[in-house]
Amino acid sequence: LMEINVNKMTNITGYLNFAANHKHLSVKFPNLAGAHNMTFRNVSDASLPSLHKMDGLLGFYSNFFMNISAPNLTLTGDLVFTSNSAVMNISMPKLETVKGGLQLANNSALEDIEGFPSLKLITGALDITGKFKTYVSLFFFFFFPLFLQSARC
């Protein structure tokens, strides 16, 4: 199996898991707007151009893609990017809320974390592990607003 393209699927109410796949598997959900829980492992491409809302985990583990984008995602539960050795760019420009934890760990080619410009709230843990050029600015943008909020109390 080299490609999964599900044109008519617009919502996933259960758990979707791609694992132990061919190195060149491309997964495409061009019209998927909402989902409960999705996990991608060992895929070369995951296309989610219409995804707007997740209420559970969106996880990417040990994949082979260089870029991952969810341009319309505004809300998710946990968001995980772990051991995606080739990923160089993560782009979720409209993501505002993570109702859970955000983890970026062991993505050895990822040097800059600039793909979450609208992110305002993480209700769980923030776990960032790696050698990032923008680590200081990321730390400033996430924690300085929290400091200001607690200083106003």
Side-chain angles (χ1 to χ4, degrees):
L1 187 61
M2 301 285 285
E3 181 176 285
I4 297 171
N5 189 338
V6 188
N7 288 324
K8 294 185 180 186
M9 189 173 295
T10 59
N11 192 34
I12 298 171
T13 58
Y15 296 88
L16 179 71
N17 183 26
F18 292 97
N21 298 297
H22 188 277
K23 183 177 181 177
H24 299 290
L25 177 64
S26 176
V27 181
K28 298 177 182 178
F29 288 97
N31 298 305
L32 183 67
H36 173 63
N37 187 311
M38 293 194 301
T39 303
F40 297 87
R41 297 177 194 271
N42 316 113
V43 301
S44 65
D45 181 38
S47 177
L48 305 165
S50 301
L51 185 62
H52 176 69
K53 180 181 175 187
M54 297 274 310
D55 55 17
L57 167 74
L58 178 56
F60 300 93
Y61 306 88
S62 302
N63 292 292
F64 307 109
F65 48 71
M66 294 177 64
N67 300 294
I68 184 70
S69 176
N72 291 299
L73 184 65
T74 60
L75 171 71
T76 187
D78 293 311
L79 181 59
V80 178
F81 297 90
T82 300
S83 300
N84 300 290
S85 60
V87 72
M88 298 175 69
N89 181 45
I90 298 170
S91 178
M92 298 184 172
K94 294 183 180 178
L95 181 63
E96 294 181 355
T97 304
V98 176
K99 288 189 173 183
L102 172 60
Q103 181 182 46
L104 296 158
N106 302 319
N107 301 296
S108 54
L110 186 63
E111 295 181 349
D112 297 308
I113 306 170
E114 298 173 340
F116 309 100
S118 300
L119 187 59
K120 296 175 185 165
L121 178 65
I122 301 170
T123 63
L126 175 61
D127 178 7
I128 299 174
T129 305
K131 296 179 181 179
F132 302 108
K133 292 179 181 177
T134 58
Y135 183 80
V136 173
S137 63
L138 179 70
F139 184 83
F140 179 79
F141 287 121
F142 279 125
F143 292 105
F144 188 68
L146 295 175
F147 170 76
L148 288 178
Q149 287 176 353
S150 65
R152 290 183 194 141
C153 296

